[in-house]
Amino acid sequence: MASSNTDLFGDPLQKKLGIGYAGHPGMGPKGETCGSCRHRQWAGRITRRYYKCGHQYGYRSFSQASDIKLKTPACEHWELG
């Protein structure tokens, strides 16, 4: 039987990321992050910035679920910003 830290096949569980990413984080160039991507955009107020992916495949809404983290490894849609 699999432990709570592994899936049915014994592989480690992967952290579920938000729906705002255009691709699969970690599939892009080594050493690059969402923070260095051309598609990174910010929204919000002066006191708080919320980062979103501006790529056509990225989902954007006024919800926290579509926020991205700037330290997330780059996805396959990463472009030099």
Side-chain angles (χ1 to χ4, degrees), residues 21-63:
Y21 296 93
H24 301 286
M27 300 292 289
K30 294 274 186 210
E32 299 297 342
T33 63
C34 288
S36 63
C37 182
R38 163 175 102 84
H39 300 294
R40 168 197 28 69
Q41 298 176 343
W42 69 271
R45 299 177 284 281
I46 295 171
T47 58
R48 174 80 163 93
R49 285 190 176 184
Y50 305 94
Y51 291 94
K52 310 284 183 182
C53 180
H55 190 273
Q56 65 180 355
Y57 297 136
Y59 179 77
R60 291 173 301 283
S61 69
F62 294 103
S63 168

